[in-house]
Amino acid sequence: GIRQIERSISECDQATSEVVRGYCLAVRGSLTNDGRPPLDASGLKLQERLSLIEASLERVAKKGAYQNP
């Protein structure tokens, strides 16, 4: 889970910790944000947000900017 990831970054440098915390906040926010039916289906909005987070993580991984601790 997200808490486990947040705990695992305690030994990382400050810049890496801030980036990982930002992603954790984005995931947590996506999971807790409800849509306003009928115009925003919350499941579709969640899928869209998580896809954007995933794409961002893939870009970071391609750049080699983050090494898994």
Side-chain angles (χ1 to χ4, degrees):
I2 295 172
R3 287 184 187 169
Q4 198 173 25
I5 293 169
E6 290 172 325
R7 287 184 198 125
S8 73
I9 60 170
S10 63
E11 297 177 11
C12 295
D13 61 72
Q14 185 176 359
T16 300
S17 296
E18 288 179 21
V19 170
V20 173
R21 280 191 196 102
Y23 278 108
C24 288
L25 285 173
V27 170
R28 188 176 279 130
S30 294
L31 294 173
T32 59
N33 192 356
D34 292 333
R36 301 231 191 282
L39 302 177
D40 289 328
S42 60
L44 294 174
K45 198 67 151 170
L46 173 62
Q47 192 275 333
E48 177 185 354
R49 289 179 178 149
L50 293 177
S51 294
L52 291 171
I53 293 167
E54 179 183 25
S56 178
L57 287 168
E58 288 173 357
R59 287 191 303 272
V60 169
K62 282 182 183 178
K63 291 180 182 178
Y66 175 72
Q67 298 292 325
N68 194 355

